[in-house]
Amino acid sequence: MYLADETWPELGDYFENESLALVPLGSTEQHGPHLPEGTDHLIAEGFAREVAERTGYLCTPTINIGVSPHHRQFHGTMWADAPVFRDYVESITRNLAYHGIDRVIYVNAHGGNIEHLREVGRRLRDEEVLYAIEWMWNDSIPDLVDDLFEQNGPHGGPKETAMIQHLRPELVREDRLEDARDGGIASVDAAETEKFGARTFYDAADNTGNGVLGDQTDATAEKGEQMFEAATEQLVKLCDWLDAQDFQDLMPEEHV
């Protein structure tokens, strides 16, 4: 069920019987010369809408702009400052709690959002408002991603390229895959910006001239479909597990 397509009486029926919602989040940021700036939010929405369709759980509209200042040197990147992003996500999650939702899965496809979504989840849990957790698609299938690609990226690499080839093939600039590979770098290790246990880089531009890593020519729509199906299965299982939990068991333990 997609919230924005429903009427308020229809949603009332959902809230009477269910208490779980999926909130897709991504970014609007550079993904190299071959992928659209909407890559992350397109992937997040793809997963959330598919799982909502398969399970009947509620999917909210997508949060399209995330914490992306580290991509700001590239044209068109948009970002929210981290405190603003956290407050915004917390606010809309409290909207859901007001209507009766007491457990939320942040269906995330942007690494820059992870720590902030976990912080929002902690805030809401500490206040016993609801239980919210962050889910990142590639983290749910790490072995498959490693098996499919010799060097998966991370940013704008073959795993994201393959996913967009599957979900929105018309948006992939197939004639620029070699340019993406040759103008970027293979990995963060190859950039040599980690020194003696410290990360010396702050921005993507510190590592790569065209904004991406990995070998984009290793991507195919078939690999994207394989990852999409495997990760979707994981998210369905997470939804069913979370829905089955007693709410009080999800709340903080008492002080010892």
Side-chain angles (χ1 to χ4, degrees), residues 19 102-103 125 130-131 239-253:
S19 59
D102 65 15
R103 57 206 74 193
R125 180 174 181 262
L130 53 66
Y131 182 81
C239 288
D240 290 340
W241 170 84
L242 184 55
D243 185 58
Q245 303 309 300
D246 182 83
F247 179 72
Q248 287 305 316
D249 290 341
L250 298 171
M251 292 296 97
E253 298 289 342

Side-chain angles (χ1 to χ4, degrees), residues 68-80:
S68 303
H70 48 296
H71 293 290
R72 68 189 187 280
Q73 288 93 343
F74 297 91
H75 300 311
T77 292
M78 302 182 72
W79 67 92

Side-chain angles (χ1 to χ4, degrees), residues 33-34 175-184 210 212 216-217:
H34 65 301
D175 59 338
R176 299 178 186 170
L177 297 182
E178 291 186 4
D179 291 342
R181 178 196 63 197
D182 297 342
N210 70 357
V212 294
Q216 292 74 16
T217 66

Side-chain angles (χ1 to χ4, degrees), residues 76-90:
T77 292
M78 302 182 72
W79 67 92
D81 290 335
V84 175
F85 176 80
R86 291 193 295 266
D87 288 348
Y88 178 73
V89 173
E90 180 178 344

